[in-house]
Amino acid sequence: MTATRKPQRVFDRDREWDGLLRFATSPSPDVRLGIVSGRRRQGKTFLLDALSEVVGGFFFTATEATEVEALERFGRAVARYAGGGRYIFRDWEEALERLFAVVAADLIILDEFPYLTKATPALPSLLQRALDPRGPARTAGSRILLCGSAMSVMGGLLSGSAPLRGRASLELVVKPLGYRQAGEFWGIDDPRLAVLVHSIVGGTPAYRREFVAGDAPESLADFDSWVLRTVLNPQVPLFREARYLLAEETEIRDVALYHAVLAAIANGNTTRGGIASAIGRSSTDMAHPLAVLEDSQLIVREADPFQKGKPVFRIAEPLIVFYEAIMRRHWTPLERGNQAAAWQSSQATFFSQVVGPHFETICREWAMSVGPEVFGELPGQVAGAVVKDPDRRSQIQIDVAVLAPEEPGRRRRILSLGEVKWDRTMTAGHLDRLTRARDLLSGKGYDVSDTILACYSGAGFDQNLRSSPEKPLLVDLETLYARE
């Protein structure tokens, strides 16, 4: 193995690896601080451990502890790196000075950094001083990677007037694997099965390795059995994971309120007003919990390109959707081991509230990832949208709206309008709705001269749709999962 090759045990993550390696081996004296963040279970520590294996350096993983306990553990770790003995530090200023003296120009990785700042809020300021032109980190030539899973804390390190703002040369967010990569990671070749599994566990690597010990469904016929023996099994760690994801966020205190918000979104209430109505609160009361969930990257805010100022919210973690839509309402029988009956009674809900919306998300991800040969150019925005039809007093749901980048002085160009159906064969009637939406948008001033009408289906297309003179783009499961 060469000094820069990614270890074979690291699946995918080529872009992340290249960014980390450029940081760790950069000859520039100005490259001193990097920030690595991402929700838990995405493999950040696994990736950084591999980097440390390749380039060497000091690696310290913090735990939730008091300042005294953290300094004691840190002193032992620095002493081991130095070759033995024992270091006892009075404070973090002394600890950092010794660290930079011992490690010198090598790489320093401080994992789970939010635990350290929780016990010692001044630590970012101490690092700022160390990174100053005459500070010990700059003098020693050290490179520092700070890593953490508390997204609100990690995001705050470089924001506003934070001490480390403007100091970082790397800001890397380790995200879940894409749906194609996730299917490969789980060893699933059947696209339909891959969608079903992804709609529950998403692209989080740890869910296959640590949480279900490598148990993957062997076929579509094995899917129900796999659900019963893994995510709905109280003896498997995945069973309670969705609840822990919320509890681990430091900014979330009223857990019941946040579960109520997530349940409302999982049940299809995706606007601020809809969420408020579902949980019996006023719309203004939603500002703070929605902001906290967004900062924690548990939900995402998506703008409707055709209705300004009316964003919708989507849960970012599929496992939370599955928990809120399926598990939470059957929690007592599930805990008592009666998962078969609970799963049987949840089939309709699973396909309508979990798989259907998730399949729409996959289709939007595909539309955003394709090359210019599909829509004529690279998309500037892909989103779900609503087109109002005042004449018919109705609304047309657009599941995949693809728009070109905005250009000053030019009408916004719509590259494609698409409808998604997971379990229904699509017909010319679906195409008629898209045609109506295109005409309405043309009347509102959008450029639809090159708009491609698209149908995305997990169940196929009838002959009338296939032979339509409109020549719609037909996207099936095989297309979605075709190798790039």
Side-chain angles (χ1 to χ4, degrees), residues 325-326 329-330 333 338-350:
I326 305 297
R329 63 185 66 179
H330 296 289
N338 193 13
Q339 56 260 50
W343 179 236
Q344 183 62 37
S345 67
S346 300
Q347 292 297 293
T349 302
F350 175 64

Side-chain angles (χ1 to χ4, degrees), residues 383-427:
V386 172
V387 178
K388 291 184 177 180
D389 189 341
D391 293 340
R392 299 179 182 177
R393 297 182 181 180
S394 63
Q395 295 180 337
I396 302 173
Q397 180 68 46
I398 304 298
D399 299 316
V400 185
V402 183
L403 288 83
E406 292 191 69
E407 301 173 72
R410 184 174 179 180
R411 291 189 300 163
R412 189 76 187 273
R413 291 178 296 125
I414 300 175
L415 302 181
S416 178
L417 297 172
E419 185 164 347
V420 177
K421 296 298 178 190
W422 165 250
D423 56 356
R424 193 177 307 170
T425 300
M426 300 192 75
T427 68

Side-chain angles (χ1 to χ4, degrees), residues 31 39 293 344 478:
V31 177
R39 300 204 317 271
L293 288 170
Q344 183 62 37
E478 286 67 29

Side-chain angles (χ1 to χ4, degrees), residues 97-111:
E97 286 183 1
R98 174 60 63 181
L99 172 68
F100 299 130
V102 169
V103 178
D106 286 341
L107 179 66
I108 296 169
I109 299 173
L110 300 181
D111 194 15

Side-chain angles (χ1 to χ4, degrees), residues 21-325:
L21 197 62
R22 279 196 304 272
F23 173 87
T25 60
S26 172
S28 171
D30 296 321
V31 177
R32 290 287 168 253
L33 176 67
I35 305 295
V36 179
S37 61
R39 300 204 317 271
R40 293 191 184 280
R41 331 295 191 224
Q42 304 309 322
K44 300 182 299 298
T45 300
F46 190 77
L47 192 60
L48 291 174
D49 182 66
L51 178 70
S52 179
E53 175 188 305
V54 169
V55 303
F58 174 80
F59 195 116
F60 178 75
T61 299
T63 58
E64 195 162 11
T66 65
E67 183 177 62
V68 172
E69 292 172 321
L71 282 169
E72 183 181 359
R73 288 191 64 243
F74 192 75
R76 291 199 300 267
V78 176
R80 281 196 304 271
Y81 186 85
R86 184 184 182 192
Y87 290 137
I88 300 176
F89 300 126
R90 295 188 305 272
D91 53 38
W92 274 103
E93 188 169 10
E94 181 183 32
L96 290 175
E97 286 183 1
R98 174 60 63 181
L99 172 68
F100 299 130
V102 169
V103 178
D106 286 341
L107 179 66
I108 296 169
I109 299 173
L110 300 181
D111 194 15
E112 296 297 356
F113 187 68
Y115 285 142
L116 298 180
T117 62
K118 182 180 180 181
T120 310
L123 192 52
S125 296
L126 296 176
L127 281 170
Q128 176 199 19
R129 288 214 303 267
L131 290 164
D132 283 343
R134 296 188 180 182
R138 183 64 66 95
T139 302
S142 303
R143 286 183 172 79
I144 310 163
L145 279 173
L146 306 179
C147 178
S149 303
M151 298 303 294
S152 55
V153 176
M154 297 303 293
L157 289 177
L158 305 177
S159 64
S161 58
L164 295 176
R165 179 172 170 78
R167 303 294 179 124
S169 301
L170 172 71
E171 295 180 54
L172 174 63
V173 179
V174 180
K175 298 181 179 181
L177 297 171
Y179 71 91
R180 289 191 193 93
Q181 289 75 24
E184 184 179 348
F185 183 73
W186 280 81
I188 299 173
D189 296 325
D190 183 333
R192 179 170 294 277
L193 179 59
V195 171
L196 293 175
V197 172
H198 196 265
S199 69
I200 297 176
V201 296
T204 299
Y207 292 163
R208 184 184 185 194
R209 286 175 168 157
E210 291 91 343
F211 283 66
V212 300
D215 184 357
E218 298 178 357
S219 64
L220 275 172
D222 185 43
F223 175 72
D224 288 339
S225 177
W226 174 81
V227 171
L228 295 177
R229 66 179 185 258
T230 56
V231 67
L232 294 185
N233 184 352
Q235 298 178 359
V236 172
L238 196 61
F239 179 77
R240 292 176 177 83
E241 172 66 5
R243 303 179 82 166
Y244 293 156
L245 286 174
L246 217 56
E248 288 170 343
E249 287 297 330
T250 58
E251 298 298 313
I252 293 177
R253 294 178 175 85
D254 186 354
V255 176
L257 170 62
Y258 287 88
H259 271 301
V261 171
L262 291 170
I265 298 173
N267 289 327
N269 303 286
T270 57
T271 64
R272 179 184 292 192
I275 297 166
S277 177
I279 67 174
R281 299 287 184 98
S282 69
S283 183
T284 53
D285 290 340
M286 292 297 96
H288 179 68
L290 288 173
V292 170
L293 288 170
E294 194 174 357
D295 289 344
S296 302
Q297 295 193 5
L298 294 176
I299 66 172
V300 293
R301 180 197 304 257
E302 297 180 338
D304 185 326
F306 306 140
Q307 297 191 84
K308 303 300 182 184
K310 292 187 177 181
V312 296
F313 296 90
R314 180 176 59 80
I315 299 174
E317 172 54 61
L319 187 63
I320 292 179
V321 179
F322 185 80
Y323 169 78
E324 300 293 352

